[in-house]
Structure formats: C-alpha cells, structure tokens
Amino acid sequence: MLECPLKLYKTQNDYLRQWVKHRNEYLEALLAMEAPPNLQKCSICDGDRIYRCLGCFSQPLFCMQCCRKQHYMLLFH
C-alpha cells in the first residue's frame, strides 16, 4: 500500500495543535473585552459612568442620564 505524501484533510487534533500555539493571544483578547476601559468618564458628558450597554456597537459606558437619553427610543435595546 502506497502512502500519499500530501495530507488532504485535517483532523481535530491538527486544528487543536494549531490553536494551542495562539491560545494566550485569544485568552488575552477575550479578557480585554470583559474588562471596562481605563477611562472613568461617561462617553457623552464626562460624568461618572455606571452603565455599559452590551447591545450598542463598541459597548460604550454612560452615566444614568445619558444612558436614558441614548436609549429612550430604542424600546428593545
């Protein structure tokens, strides 16, 4: 039986070996998305921020008043 020198498919182990080399980069990126940014001011009025909208693009942080103003017409947000 002749063996083909080219591998035409990848196994799950091949994909895992490829991923393991970069796992720390992926974990750092995931954790960075969970932590709040260093700035402690509202995105609009520079007041103390309390709320982070998970539905908004870039997940901005707002104070209570600005969050209400921004989401007043977004009923399902």
Side-chain angles (χ1 to χ4, degrees):
M1 183 175 189
L2 295 173
E3 288 188 35
C4 182
L6 297 176
K7 194 172 187 180
L8 300 176
Y9 61 91
K10 287 188 175 185
T11 66
Q12 289 179 343
N13 288 336
D14 294 331
Y15 288 113
L16 284 173
R17 278 189 216 102
Q18 185 179 0
W19 178 83
V20 165
K21 296 174 189 175
H22 303 283
R23 70 178 167 211
N24 288 334
E25 296 170 44
Y26 289 114
L27 291 174
E28 286 177 17
L30 289 170
L31 290 174
M33 287 188 289
E34 293 297 321
N38 291 334
L39 299 175
Q40 296 296 318
K41 301 294 179 185
C42 173
S43 300
I44 296 173
C45 72
D46 289 335
D48 290 333
R49 62 184 186 186
I50 299 172
Y51 300 100
R52 180 172 79 172
C53 182
L54 301 177
C56 287
F57 183 70
S58 77
Q59 299 180 353
L61 291 151
F62 299 114
C63 64
M64 186 185 308
Q65 291 80 15
C66 291
C67 187
R68 285 181 183 163
K69 288 177 190 174
Q70 291 295 317
H71 293 85
Y72 180 72
M73 297 302 289
L74 303 172
L75 302 176
F76 298 106
H77 213 251

PDB file of all heavy atoms in Angstrom, residues 42 44-47 51 53 56 62-75 77:
ATOM      1  N   CYS A  42     -18.179  59.171  31.534  1.00  0.00           N
ATOM      2  CA  CYS A  42     -19.251  58.874  30.593  1.00  0.00           C
ATOM      3  C   CYS A  42     -18.793  59.214  29.176  1.00  0.00           C
ATOM      4  O   CYS A  42     -18.058  60.182  28.969  1.00  0.00           O
ATOM      5  CB  CYS A  42     -20.493  59.699  30.972  1.00  0.00           C
ATOM      6  SG  CYS A  42     -21.843  59.595  29.787  1.00  0.00           S
ATOM      7  N   ILE A  44     -20.417  60.572  26.888  1.00  0.00           N
ATOM      8  CA  ILE A  44     -21.050  61.780  26.363  1.00  0.00           C
ATOM      9  C   ILE A  44     -20.736  63.009  27.211  1.00  0.00           C
ATOM     10  O   ILE A  44     -20.272  64.027  26.703  1.00  0.00           O
ATOM     11  CB  ILE A  44     -22.573  61.578  26.250  1.00  0.00           C
ATOM     12  CG1 ILE A  44     -22.851  60.477  25.240  1.00  0.00           C
ATOM     13  CG2 ILE A  44     -23.262  62.880  25.843  1.00  0.00           C
ATOM     14  CD1 ILE A  44     -24.287  60.068  25.156  1.00  0.00           C
ATOM     15  N   CYS A  45     -20.980  62.943  28.516  1.00  0.00           N
ATOM     16  CA  CYS A  45     -20.912  64.157  29.343  1.00  0.00           C
ATOM     17  C   CYS A  45     -19.713  64.202  30.287  1.00  0.00           C
ATOM     18  O   CYS A  45     -19.584  65.134  31.057  1.00  0.00           O
ATOM     19  CB  CYS A  45     -22.201  64.303  30.143  1.00  0.00           C
ATOM     20  SG  CYS A  45     -22.334  63.104  31.489  1.00  0.00           S
ATOM     21  N   ASP A  46     -18.854  63.228  30.255  1.00  0.00           N
ATOM     22  CA  ASP A  46     -17.699  63.130  31.154  1.00  0.00           C
ATOM     23  C   ASP A  46     -18.086  62.970  32.625  1.00  0.00           C
ATOM     24  O   ASP A  46     -17.269  63.195  33.512  1.00  0.00           O
ATOM     25  CB  ASP A  46     -16.761  64.341  31.001  1.00  0.00           C
ATOM     26  CG  ASP A  46     -16.019  64.304  29.684  1.00  0.00           C
ATOM     27  OD1 ASP A  46     -15.847  63.204  29.137  1.00  0.00           O
ATOM     28  OD2 ASP A  46     -15.625  65.384  29.207  1.00  0.00           O
ATOM     29  N   GLY A  47     -19.325  62.594  32.901  1.00  0.00           N
ATOM     30  CA  GLY A  47     -19.743  62.296  34.269  1.00  0.00           C
ATOM     31  C   GLY A  47     -19.272  60.911  34.667  1.00  0.00           C
ATOM     32  O   GLY A  47     -18.682  60.182  33.868  1.00  0.00           O
ATOM     33  N   TYR A  51     -23.191  52.586  33.564  1.00  0.00           N
ATOM     34  CA  TYR A  51     -23.838  51.609  32.694  1.00  0.00           C
ATOM     35  C   TYR A  51     -23.022  51.353  31.437  1.00  0.00           C
ATOM     36  O   TYR A  51     -22.525  52.278  30.815  1.00  0.00           O
ATOM     37  CB  TYR A  51     -25.226  52.096  32.289  1.00  0.00           C
ATOM     38  CG  TYR A  51     -26.124  52.307  33.474  1.00  0.00           C
ATOM     39  CD1 TYR A  51     -26.334  53.576  33.996  1.00  0.00           C
ATOM     40  CD2 TYR A  51     -26.743  51.237  34.091  1.00  0.00           C
ATOM     41  CE1 TYR A  51     -27.145  53.770  35.093  1.00  0.00           C
ATOM     42  CE2 TYR A  51     -27.551  51.416  35.189  1.00  0.00           C
ATOM     43  CZ  TYR A  51     -27.752  52.685  35.686  1.00  0.00           C
ATOM     44  OH  TYR A  51     -28.543  52.879  36.776  1.00  0.00           O
ATOM     45  N   CYS A  53     -23.742  49.461  27.847  1.00  0.00           N
ATOM     46  CA  CYS A  53     -24.756  48.818  27.018  1.00  0.00           C
ATOM     47  C   CYS A  53     -24.119  47.719  26.183  1.00  0.00           C
ATOM     48  O   CYS A  53     -23.280  47.990  25.324  1.00  0.00           O
ATOM     49  CB  CYS A  53     -25.433  49.847  26.114  1.00  0.00           C
ATOM     50  SG  CYS A  53     -26.728  49.090  25.117  1.00  0.00           S
ATOM     51  N   CYS A  56     -25.096  47.974  22.251  1.00  0.00           N
ATOM     52  CA  CYS A  56     -24.558  49.049  21.413  1.00  0.00           C
ATOM     53  C   CYS A  56     -23.223  48.637  20.814  1.00  0.00           C
ATOM     54  O   CYS A  56     -22.433  47.933  21.442  1.00  0.00           O
ATOM     55  CB  CYS A  56     -24.349  50.319  22.228  1.00  0.00           C
ATOM     56  SG  CYS A  56     -25.851  51.174  22.677  1.00  0.00           S
ATOM     57  N   PHE A  62     -21.966  54.823  29.979  1.00  0.00           N
ATOM     58  CA  PHE A  62     -22.752  56.028  30.174  1.00  0.00           C
ATOM     59  C   PHE A  62     -23.038  56.255  31.649  1.00  0.00           C
ATOM     60  O   PHE A  62     -23.077  55.321  32.436  1.00  0.00           O
ATOM     61  CB  PHE A  62     -24.117  55.908  29.476  1.00  0.00           C
ATOM     62  CG  PHE A  62     -24.051  55.723  27.996  1.00  0.00           C
ATOM     63  CD1 PHE A  62     -24.477  54.543  27.415  1.00  0.00           C
ATOM     64  CD2 PHE A  62     -23.597  56.735  27.174  1.00  0.00           C
ATOM     65  CE1 PHE A  62     -24.446  54.371  26.048  1.00  0.00           C
ATOM     66  CE2 PHE A  62     -23.560  56.576  25.802  1.00  0.00           C
ATOM     67  CZ  PHE A  62     -23.982  55.388  25.235  1.00  0.00           C
ATOM     68  N   CYS A  63     -23.327  57.525  31.975  1.00  0.00           N
ATOM     69  CA  CYS A  63     -23.924  57.813  33.271  1.00  0.00           C
ATOM     70  C   CYS A  63     -25.426  57.513  33.129  1.00  0.00           C
ATOM     71  O   CYS A  63     -25.914  57.237  32.031  1.00  0.00           O
ATOM     72  CB  CYS A  63     -23.685  59.268  33.664  1.00  0.00           C
ATOM     73  SG  CYS A  63     -24.467  60.470  32.580  1.00  0.00           S
ATOM     74  N   MET A  64     -26.156  57.552  34.208  1.00  0.00           N
ATOM     75  CA  MET A  64     -27.571  57.188  34.171  1.00  0.00           C
ATOM     76  C   MET A  64     -28.367  58.086  33.225  1.00  0.00           C
ATOM     77  O   MET A  64     -29.165  57.608  32.414  1.00  0.00           O
ATOM     78  CB  MET A  64     -28.181  57.239  35.565  1.00  0.00           C
ATOM     79  CG  MET A  64     -29.624  56.730  35.596  1.00  0.00           C
ATOM     80  SD  MET A  64     -30.446  56.898  37.178  1.00  0.00           S
ATOM     81  CE  MET A  64     -29.313  56.133  38.283  1.00  0.00           C
ATOM     82  N   GLN A  65     -28.160  59.398  33.292  1.00  0.00           N
ATOM     83  CA  GLN A  65     -28.931  60.326  32.465  1.00  0.00           C
ATOM     84  C   GLN A  65     -28.641  60.128  30.979  1.00  0.00           C
ATOM     85  O   GLN A  65     -29.555  60.093  30.158  1.00  0.00           O
ATOM     86  CB  GLN A  65     -28.638  61.784  32.862  1.00  0.00           C
ATOM     87  CG  GLN A  65     -29.158  62.173  34.212  1.00  0.00           C
ATOM     88  CD  GLN A  65     -28.240  61.697  35.357  1.00  0.00           C
ATOM     89  OE1 GLN A  65     -27.095  61.323  35.137  1.00  0.00           O
ATOM     90  NE2 GLN A  65     -28.770  61.705  36.557  1.00  0.00           N
ATOM     91  N   CYS A  66     -27.385  60.002  30.621  1.00  0.00           N
ATOM     92  CA  CYS A  66     -27.029  59.828  29.209  1.00  0.00           C
ATOM     93  C   CYS A  66     -27.510  58.482  28.679  1.00  0.00           C
ATOM     94  O   CYS A  66     -27.911  58.369  27.527  1.00  0.00           O
ATOM     95  CB  CYS A  66     -25.534  59.984  29.011  1.00  0.00           C
ATOM     96  SG  CYS A  66     -24.950  61.676  29.266  1.00  0.00           S
ATOM     97  N   CYS A  67     -27.475  57.462  29.499  1.00  0.00           N
ATOM     98  CA  CYS A  67     -27.961  56.148  29.084  1.00  0.00           C
ATOM     99  C   CYS A  67     -29.453  56.220  28.779  1.00  0.00           C
ATOM    100  O   CYS A  67     -29.909  55.699  27.763  1.00  0.00           O
ATOM    101  CB  CYS A  67     -27.683  55.118  30.164  1.00  0.00           C
ATOM    102  SG  CYS A  67     -28.057  53.435  29.667  1.00  0.00           S
ATOM    103  N   ARG A  68     -30.198  56.901  29.633  1.00  0.00           N
ATOM    104  CA  ARG A  68     -31.634  57.069  29.389  1.00  0.00           C
ATOM    105  C   ARG A  68     -31.888  57.842  28.106  1.00  0.00           C
ATOM    106  O   ARG A  68     -32.749  57.490  27.301  1.00  0.00           O
ATOM    107  CB  ARG A  68     -32.285  57.784  30.559  1.00  0.00           C
ATOM    108  CG  ARG A  68     -32.458  56.927  31.763  1.00  0.00           C
ATOM    109  CD  ARG A  68     -33.135  57.687  32.867  1.00  0.00           C
ATOM    110  NE  ARG A  68     -33.242  56.877  34.066  1.00  0.00           N
ATOM    111  CZ  ARG A  68     -33.480  57.366  35.259  1.00  0.00           C
ATOM    112  NH1 ARG A  68     -33.634  58.666  35.433  1.00  0.00           N
ATOM    113  NH2 ARG A  68     -33.567  56.562  36.288  1.00  0.00           N
ATOM    114  N   LYS A  69     -31.142  58.934  27.901  1.00  0.00           N
ATOM    115  CA  LYS A  69     -31.321  59.744  26.691  1.00  0.00           C
ATOM    116  C   LYS A  69     -31.002  58.941  25.439  1.00  0.00           C
ATOM    117  O   LYS A  69     -31.723  59.017  24.441  1.00  0.00           O
ATOM    118  CB  LYS A  69     -30.412  60.981  26.743  1.00  0.00           C
ATOM    119  CG  LYS A  69     -30.859  62.023  27.723  1.00  0.00           C
ATOM    120  CD  LYS A  69     -29.863  63.176  27.753  1.00  0.00           C
ATOM    121  CE  LYS A  69     -30.147  64.135  28.884  1.00  0.00           C
ATOM    122  NZ  LYS A  69     -29.109  65.173  28.998  1.00  0.00           N
ATOM    123  N   GLN A  70     -29.922  58.183  25.468  1.00  0.00           N
ATOM    124  CA  GLN A  70     -29.493  57.418  24.295  1.00  0.00           C
ATOM    125  C   GLN A  70     -30.449  56.282  23.961  1.00  0.00           C
ATOM    126  O   GLN A  70     -30.607  55.918  22.805  1.00  0.00           O
ATOM    127  CB  GLN A  70     -28.083  56.848  24.515  1.00  0.00           C
ATOM    128  CG  GLN A  70     -27.004  57.881  24.534  1.00  0.00           C
ATOM    129  CD  GLN A  70     -26.861  58.564  23.186  1.00  0.00           C
ATOM    130  OE1 GLN A  70     -26.882  57.943  22.142  1.00  0.00           O
ATOM    131  NE2 GLN A  70     -26.721  59.886  23.228  1.00  0.00           N
ATOM    132  N   HIS A  71     -31.092  55.704  24.949  1.00  0.00           N
ATOM    133  CA  HIS A  71     -31.919  54.524  24.734  1.00  0.00           C
ATOM    134  C   HIS A  71     -33.424  54.802  24.859  1.00  0.00           C
ATOM    135  O   HIS A  71     -34.217  53.874  24.854  1.00  0.00           O
ATOM    136  CB  HIS A  71     -31.498  53.415  25.700  1.00  0.00           C
ATOM    137  CG  HIS A  71     -30.130  52.902  25.418  1.00  0.00           C
ATOM    138  ND1 HIS A  71     -29.009  53.513  25.919  1.00  0.00           N
ATOM    139  CD2 HIS A  71     -29.701  51.856  24.672  1.00  0.00           C
ATOM    140  CE1 HIS A  71     -27.941  52.852  25.498  1.00  0.00           C
ATOM    141  NE2 HIS A  71     -28.336  51.848  24.741  1.00  0.00           N
ATOM    142  N   TYR A  72     -33.800  56.048  24.937  1.00  0.00           N
ATOM    143  CA  TYR A  72     -35.209  56.416  25.115  1.00  0.00           C
ATOM    144  C   TYR A  72     -36.093  55.851  24.000  1.00  0.00           C
ATOM    145  O   TYR A  72     -37.166  55.333  24.246  1.00  0.00           O
ATOM    146  CB  TYR A  72     -35.338  57.934  25.180  1.00  0.00           C
ATOM    147  CG  TYR A  72     -36.749  58.414  25.371  1.00  0.00           C
ATOM    148  CD1 TYR A  72     -37.399  58.253  26.597  1.00  0.00           C
ATOM    149  CD2 TYR A  72     -37.440  58.992  24.317  1.00  0.00           C
ATOM    150  CE1 TYR A  72     -38.699  58.681  26.772  1.00  0.00           C
ATOM    151  CE2 TYR A  72     -38.758  59.423  24.495  1.00  0.00           C
ATOM    152  CZ  TYR A  72     -39.368  59.272  25.712  1.00  0.00           C
ATOM    153  OH  TYR A  72     -40.650  59.688  25.878  1.00  0.00           O
ATOM    154  N   MET A  73     -35.637  55.941  22.767  1.00  0.00           N
ATOM    155  CA  MET A  73     -36.438  55.477  21.627  1.00  0.00           C
ATOM    156  C   MET A  73     -36.095  54.038  21.198  1.00  0.00           C
ATOM    157  O   MET A  73     -36.672  53.520  20.269  1.00  0.00           O
ATOM    158  CB  MET A  73     -36.259  56.426  20.442  1.00  0.00           C
ATOM    159  CG  MET A  73     -36.765  57.831  20.720  1.00  0.00           C
ATOM    160  SD  MET A  73     -38.516  57.890  21.168  1.00  0.00           S
ATOM    161  CE  MET A  73     -39.269  57.500  19.621  1.00  0.00           C
ATOM    162  N   LEU A  74     -35.175  53.412  21.838  1.00  0.00           N
ATOM    163  CA  LEU A  74     -34.769  52.043  21.494  1.00  0.00           C
ATOM    164  C   LEU A  74     -35.450  51.076  22.452  1.00  0.00           C
ATOM    165  O   LEU A  74     -34.870  50.587  23.412  1.00  0.00           O
ATOM    166  CB  LEU A  74     -33.252  51.908  21.575  1.00  0.00           C
ATOM    167  CG  LEU A  74     -32.461  52.879  20.695  1.00  0.00           C
ATOM    168  CD1 LEU A  74     -30.988  52.780  21.027  1.00  0.00           C
ATOM    169  CD2 LEU A  74     -32.721  52.605  19.230  1.00  0.00           C
ATOM    170  N   LEU A  75     -36.691  50.763  22.185  1.00  0.00           N
ATOM    171  CA  LEU A  75     -37.515  50.004  23.123  1.00  0.00           C
ATOM    172  C   LEU A  75     -36.987  48.606  23.406  1.00  0.00           C
ATOM    173  O   LEU A  75     -37.129  48.093  24.508  1.00  0.00           O
ATOM    174  CB  LEU A  75     -38.939  49.928  22.609  1.00  0.00           C
ATOM    175  CG  LEU A  75     -39.628  51.280  22.374  1.00  0.00           C
ATOM    176  CD1 LEU A  75     -40.998  51.071  21.775  1.00  0.00           C
ATOM    177  CD2 LEU A  75     -39.702  52.062  23.662  1.00  0.00           C
ATOM    178  N   HIS A  77     -33.833  47.552  23.118  1.00  0.00           N
ATOM    179  CA  HIS A  77     -32.387  47.579  23.292  1.00  0.00           C
ATOM    180  C   HIS A  77     -32.038  47.181  24.697  1.00  0.00           C
ATOM    181  O   HIS A  77     -32.574  47.615  25.654  1.00  0.00           O
ATOM    182  CB  HIS A  77     -31.889  48.994  22.981  1.00  0.00           C
ATOM    183  CG  HIS A  77     -30.542  48.986  22.367  1.00  0.00           C
ATOM    184  ND1 HIS A  77     -29.434  49.412  23.039  1.00  0.00           N
ATOM    185  CD2 HIS A  77     -30.118  48.632  21.149  1.00  0.00           C
ATOM    186  CE1 HIS A  77     -28.385  49.328  22.267  1.00  0.00           C
ATOM    187  NE2 HIS A  77     -28.773  48.842  21.108  1.00  0.00           N
TER     188      HIS A  77
END
